[in-house]
Amino acid sequence: MQSARFNASGNAAAKVSYTARRLVELGHGSTGTLGLSRQDARPQAGDLVLCRVTEIGQHKSLGQAHGKRNRLFVGDTIVVAYGARYAPDQFEAEVPGDLGPCDLAAGGGIAGRVVSSHSRMNPPTRLQPLGLVTDEHGAVINLARLARPVVPALAPRPRTIAVLGTSMNAGKTTVAAALIRGLSLAGRRVGAAKVTGTGAPGDPTLMADAGASRVIDFTDLGFPTTYQLPMPQVIRILRSAITDLTSHQADAIVLEVADGILQRETAALMRTPEFRADVDGIVFAAGDSVSAVAGVRLLHEEGLPVMALSGVLTASPLAMAEAVAGVDIPVFEPAALSDPSVAGQILAGAIAGGSPVRDESGQPEDGTRLTDRTDYADYTDCTALSQDHSRLADRSGPLTAESVA
């Protein structure tokens, strides 16, 4: 268990959440140098806060580094970060305007004030803030201050595939992990990143387990969540993640973009020149056939290079058949994506007949649009590829990372 000690708390150690893990990684709190500020200041997104658990609700455990979860009990003190949350299947939350009672809006360690919730959710776990976390000089510690330094990349950016989806729990993380697995088995050194979403340990841990040589997410770059961030900051996260992975010798990159393509930040990001310039192909994850057809059509209309369709819908042969009939791209079960030949073809653009080389604006240099390419027939049997390459092959639906975050 990661923990930290505070000057004012004697021998009691506070549990440190995933979002606040850099506090421990950088050595803060191991010698009792951390303090608390109880001034009546308005919290900012990313400010670390020491809270006491006053009531156990929806989230009964606190996510920690490396995918670990620590059971919560009333009376526990925990270090979390203030942040907003967008989760249609769980909670919508905002950063409170004061240090009054608030909620554990996400199990990865987000303190917020829940403003709406899915009908199947229990009430959120309740927190009593004890003060903002400060350093030995009394300065409030924000995640931005703990961000990993990004080393400039000297090598060219490797080919980059982004996984987008229709919604939360559409199977994006499963698809990304399967693709990482397939590329790793093909001999690639895969860098992986989750560039938007809510801080949680499950997704990065699964990416690492699938074979990624390095994994980074927005919390490493100083942000607890990306909901309500200005678009220049979201773009900076995207480019910083790619730069970091490139500088660590990745020769293929897989990105996960959280939530659905109608979510505000996702919708805005995928329309930016930076996204179009830095992403060579998209694998789309969908929860059902109707959203699959509509989502692929929307991405095509935006001129984005959609290479393949996958996700939860592939758990149903009937839904999969409907999707195959309604889209002009191949449809794969996650098991097929973990096959090195299929993953390699997607990376190279071979699935779509060869992805055109794009100029700096992200547009094809030869004037073609990937959506005009319809030579997919040779790949329709890929859904039945061998499942011997990975345990991921047994999973056709989303893993628990998205469901329990």
Side-chain angles (χ1 to χ4, degrees):
M1 180 186 77
Q2 287 191 323
S3 62
R5 297 184 183 278
F6 291 77
N7 289 331
S9 61
N11 293 324
K15 298 175 180 178
V16 177
S17 65
Y18 172 79
T19 56
R21 69 194 181 283
R22 290 282 291 165
L23 194 71
V24 176
E25 292 172 0
L26 295 177
H28 296 286
S30 59
T31 58
T33 58
L34 292 174
L36 296 175
S37 172
R38 298 182 177 85
Q39 296 180 358
D40 190 18
R42 184 182 183 92
Q44 302 298 312
D47 283 349
L48 298 185
V49 57
L50 180 68
C51 295
R52 179 175 289 114
V53 177
T54 59
E55 183 178 341
I56 302 296
Q58 176 64 32
H59 292 102
K60 297 173 175 58
S61 298
L62 187 69
Q64 298 191 310
H66 311 300
K68 296 179 180 179
R69 290 188 175 271
N70 190 280
R71 186 77 176 187
L72 290 174
F73 297 89
V74 171
D76 278 349
T77 54
I78 61 176
V79 180
V80 294
Y82 278 114
R85 188 181 190 192
Y86 181 98
D89 288 357
Q90 284 204 13
F91 296 127
E92 176 193 9
E94 297 180 345
V95 178
D98 54 43
L99 294 180
C102 61
D103 306 305
L104 184 61
I110 300 298
R113 194 156 291 159
V114 170
V115 296
S116 71
S117 62
H118 194 283
S119 61
R120 71 165 178 256
M121 289 295 103
N122 293 320
T125 292
R126 296 287 290 165
L127 307 175
Q128 175 61 57
L130 303 177
L132 298 177
V133 178
T134 62
D135 61 16
E136 64 272 22
H137 304 295
V140 172
I141 299 177
N142 188 283
L143 282 188
R145 175 176 161 184
L146 306 177
R148 293 183 182 277
V150 176
V151 178
L154 300 179
R157 172 183 65 78
R159 287 189 67 84
T160 299
I161 302 297
V163 177
L164 279 70
T166 54
S167 64
M168 181 181 182
N169 290 327
K172 296 181 298 298
T173 306
T174 305
V175 168
L179 187 58
I180 291 166
R181 181 65 173 171
L183 292 172
S184 298
L185 290 172
R188 293 283 186 168
R189 183 178 173 86
V190 187
K194 186 168 182 178
V195 295
T196 65
T198 301
D203 296 357
T205 299
L206 181 58
M207 291 175 172
D209 289 348
S213 63
R214 181 171 174 82
V215 181
I216 192 169
D217 73 3
F218 48 88
T219 63
D220 291 302
L221 300 172
F223 299 90
T225 76
T226 56
Y227 181 40
Q228 299 182 347
L229 278 185
M231 190 46 48
Q233 290 185 318
V234 179
I235 293 171
R236 187 171 58 133
I237 292 170
L238 172 73
R239 295 215 134 168
S240 294
I242 292 173
T243 298
D244 178 273
L245 297 173
T246 302
S247 68
H248 283 82
Q249 289 80 53
D251 59 16
I253 291 176
V254 176
L255 307 176
E256 181 185 349
V257 183
D259 301 308
I261 56 176
L262 297 183
Q263 196 273 343
R264 185 178 67 184
E265 284 77 29
T266 298
L269 177 64
M270 71 184 196
R271 292 181 170 94
T272 63
E274 292 84 359
F275 184 86
R276 294 168 185 265
D278 288 343
V279 172
D280 298 300
I282 292 170
V283 177
F284 190 59
D288 60 77
S289 56
V290 173
S291 62
V293 173
V296 169
R297 184 176 301 164
L298 187 153
L299 293 171
H300 278 341
E301 290 172 353
E302 293 293 336
L304 291 169
V306 192
M307 312 292 283
L309 174 65
S310 187
V312 171
L313 75 92
T314 65
S316 165
L318 291 177
M320 196 167 174
E322 291 175 349
V324 168
V327 300
D328 59 354
I329 58 174
V331 182
F332 296 101
E333 295 176 352
L337 298 175
S338 68
D339 183 281
S341 62
V342 174
Q345 289 167 349
I346 288 176
L347 184 70
I351 292 288
S355 179
V357 177
R358 292 186 290 175
D359 60 26
E360 292 183 356
S361 69
Q363 298 303 314
E365 289 183 348
D366 62 3
T368 62
R369 289 168 58 91
L370 194 63
T371 54
D372 295 333
R373 302 177 184 267
T374 57
D375 47 341
Y376 306 121
D378 293 341
Y379 301 96
T380 55
D381 292 335
C382 289
T383 56
L385 288 173
S386 170
Q387 300 186 8
D388 295 336
H389 294 287
S390 168
R391 284 167 49 190
L392 286 171
D394 296 328
R395 303 177 184 272
S396 59
L399 300 182
T400 57
E402 287 182 298
S403 300
V404 302

